[in-house]
Amino acid sequence: QDGDIVLFSSSGDNTTLSQATIHLDGQSGDIVLQNADCAEDFEVAEGEALEPGTVVVLDDDARLRTSGGAYDRRVVGIVAGAGDLKPGIVLGRREDGNPRLPVALIGRVYCKADAAEGPIQAGDLLTTATRPGHVMKATDPLRAFGAVVGKALGGLDQVLVALQ
């Protein structure tokens, strides 16, 4: 389109605007990214096999590990890219020989969730669960301070990441 910059995937059809992965709209000034969250690459701790949707914490060397306890204040987010929700922006991406993964810092992601401690409904604040790599509903305000991963968007597996 006139006044627009449009980028397509190498496997895209290169003509249908809705198929563009990035669309810079010259008329409105909007930048449209088709993917869902803002993530940052973090180094992964040795021996960790993390998959998208896993809740992660930082170890003492600032490397990612699977969360493993309720209300963990070392939580940094959720490994991005689960399901059809891919990162729209990835910060800190570099090739330095160390394994790195994007962690969703803000935005919509799919996440492993555990409702064993109580049902999760849209709007509930979420924190790290006892079950490794999962979130649960935060019911204890004192323990939740500094350990909130985000807010449930509905169902068990969609989270709006917003570390608190």
Side-chain angles (χ1 to χ4, degrees):
Q1 292 186 337
D2 291 338
D4 290 359
I5 297 173
V6 184
L7 299 173
F8 294 91
S9 166
S10 60
S11 62
D13 68 9
N14 294 346
T15 58
T16 306
L17 190 59
S18 65
Q19 296 293 316
T21 55
I22 301 174
H23 175 199
L24 302 159
D25 187 320
Q27 181 70 25
S28 68
D30 290 344
I31 300 171
V32 180
L33 304 173
Q34 296 301 322
N35 293 323
D37 64 83
C38 177
E40 183 172 348
D41 263 1
F42 284 86
E43 197 171 320
V44 177
E46 189 174 331
E48 286 288 316
L50 301 173
E51 61 186 21
T54 302
V55 180
V56 289
V57 297
L58 288 180
D59 68 9
D60 293 337
D61 296 319
R63 293 187 177 120
L64 297 178
R65 290 206 178 278
T66 303
S67 66
Y71 296 94
D72 192 334
R73 292 186 180 176
R74 295 173 302 144
V75 67
V76 291
I78 300 162
V79 178
D84 59 353
L85 297 177
K86 308 300 181 206
I89 298 173
V90 179
L91 307 171
R93 180 145 290 170
R94 64 178 179 263
E95 300 296 327
D96 59 7
N98 297 317
R100 300 171 70 80
L101 286 173
V103 174
L105 303 175
I106 190 166
R108 181 188 300 253
V109 295
Y110 286 113
C111 179
K112 298 175 182 179
D114 186 350
E117 299 296 321
I120 297 172
Q121 298 176 348
D124 287 341
L125 294 179
L126 302 172
T127 186
T128 57
T130 304
R131 187 173 176 189
H134 288 66
V135 293
M136 69 178 186
K137 179 178 178 176
T139 57
D140 183 336
L142 293 177
R143 290 182 70 200
F145 183 77
V148 170
V149 178
K151 187 175 280 200
L153 292 177
L156 280 180
D157 61 356
Q158 278 202 31
V159 175
L160 181 61
V161 174
L163 295 174
Q164 299 175 26

